[in-house]
Amino acid sequence: MAKIIDGKAISAQIKEELKVQVAEYKAKGIDICLAVIQVGNDPASSVYVGNKKKACEFIGINSLAYELPEETTQEELLNIIKDLNNRADVNGILVQLPLPKHIDEDLVIKTIDPSKDVDGFHPQSVGALSIGQKGYVSCTPAGIIQLLKRSDIEIKGKECVVVGRSNIVGKPMALLLLREDGTVTVTHSRTKDLKEVTKRADILVVAIGKPKFITKEYVKEGATVIDVGIHRMDNGKLCGDVDYDDVFDVAGAITPVPGGVGPMTIAMLMANCVESALMN
């Protein structure tokens, strides 16, 4: 029977540590400020933005909210980002994705000053990660590393398999596991004999965006299973990319959905914001 990796508890622990750090900065006269920009009112994005504001408030970080209408032009958005880049009182800039179709996400990400890129999406941040230099790491993969470490799950020398190769999760996840001395395989929709590859994993990280895709046939006995997916089923309940009930008895440790990886993403965003005080 699997040990449940409690992302809520671990993220709360991280936020408490950050709260202490921010209070120490404040005592030295250093204030930290995060600017959050949302274009349009996508319901999921609104929930995320709300959670980010709450986390800032709890930790003691100032937050600026830019809630822009759907019809905001690309030029207007880029001008706001450039203005924030130049503001000495703003440490971090976050543009909530997805953006409306008429705006080029790639260009928006590249316009953010890399020293304020707390999401870790700028090509400079990704490049720094790939060659082991200091820089912001995208929040979900960074959170997964913390989940493993704080649950006393050894990464060094372990066979790690990542299912999914997105720029936001799959690729940076593989690089971070490598950084921790894991032996890493990245799989994707074109991988042949996926079950054979995933069954080798001591640590299996699943980020493919298909509800309940990974069943016990994909999982080695005693493996640690990290589920990055989140989907709402027809009955209104949430599920992940892993069939939790099916895999539970095979896995050695597993993250639930909700309450696993999700809370860690915001905790690591807050950690990046605190780090931004040193970058700016």
Side-chain angles (χ1 to χ4, degrees):
M1 204 162 86
K3 166 189 170 181
I4 297 169
I5 299 173
D6 188 344
K8 272 189 185 166
I10 294 171
S11 69
Q13 190 185 357
I14 290 169
K15 285 195 249 182
E16 287 290 351
E17 290 165 13
L18 293 170
K19 192 177 184 178
V20 172
Q21 244 177 304
V22 170
E24 285 168 3
Y25 278 136
K26 281 199 169 158
K28 294 174 188 167
I30 301 166
D31 263 328
I32 301 170
C33 178
L34 170 68
V36 180
I37 305 169
Q38 182 183 354
V39 184
N41 52 6
D42 174 73
S45 290
S46 298
V47 170
Y48 286 131
V49 167
N51 287 342
K52 285 164 187 174
K53 283 185 201 161
K54 274 185 215 153
C56 282
E57 205 175 315
F58 176 77
I59 287 162
I61 293 172
N62 302 326
S63 67
L64 295 174
Y66 291 79
E67 285 155 14
L68 308 174
E70 186 89 18
E71 56 277 10
T72 300
T73 67
Q74 181 169 292
E75 192 182 358
E76 284 168 332
L77 176 58
L78 294 179
N79 284 338
I80 289 170
I81 293 168
K82 286 170 188 168
D83 177 47
L84 292 168
N85 282 343
N86 294 326
R87 280 180 58 170
D89 63 329
V90 172
N91 306 84
I93 302 168
L94 185 148
V95 178
Q96 184 64 43
L97 303 179
L99 288 166
K101 296 210 172 4
H102 64 278
I103 297 175
D104 180 349
E105 275 184 13
D106 198 37
L107 181 60
V108 167
I109 289 165
K110 284 178 181 164
T111 303
I112 297 169
D113 180 335
S115 74
K116 298 188 178 189
D117 167 41
V118 286
D119 252 338
F121 294 164
H122 191 285
Q124 190 172 311
S125 305
V126 178
L129 172 62
S130 69
I131 57 172
Q133 289 187 357
K134 199 164 170 51
Y136 296 111
V137 176
S138 58
C139 303
T140 300
I144 290 167
I145 294 293
Q146 285 298 319
L147 278 181
L148 294 169
K149 286 185 168 179
R150 289 172 185 248
S151 303
D152 297 320
I153 292 162
E154 181 81 40
I155 304 169
K156 189 177 182 177
K158 292 295 170 70
E159 188 89 39
C160 307
V161 175
V162 180
V163 186
R165 54 176 166 182
S166 73
N167 291 338
I168 290 173
V169 180
K171 288 176 191 167
M173 190 72 249
L175 289 167
L176 283 178
L177 288 164
L178 267 177
R179 188 191 272 186
E180 298 293 332
D181 299 322
T183 300
V184 184
T185 304
V186 179
T187 66
H188 43 79
S189 57
R190 301 282 182 273
T191 300
K192 288 179 181 165
D193 303 322
L194 181 63
K195 282 181 189 166
E196 300 308 309
V197 183
T198 57
K199 268 195 109 89
R200 295 203 306 260
D202 301 308
I203 297 171
L204 180 62
V205 181
V206 187
I208 46 167
K210 292 181 180 174
K212 297 191 178 185
F213 181 83
I214 296 292
T215 55
K216 63 184 174 196
E217 288 81 30
Y218 290 82
V219 180
K220 173 181 168 180
E221 185 84 37
T224 296
V225 181
I226 305 288
D227 188 352
V228 183
I230 188 156
H231 313 273
R232 193 169 290 283
M233 296 186 290
D234 294 339
N235 63 6
K237 287 188 174 173
L238 294 173
C239 75
D241 290 349
V242 174
D243 188 335
Y244 182 86
D245 294 333
D246 194 53
V247 169
F248 189 79
D249 290 332
V250 180
I254 191 167
T255 57
V257 175
V261 172
M264 295 301 293
T265 302
I266 289 182
M268 298 321 288
L269 170 68
M270 294 299 111
N272 279 352
C273 289
V274 173
E275 200 179 312
S276 71
L278 305 173
M279 295 256 202
N280 296 292

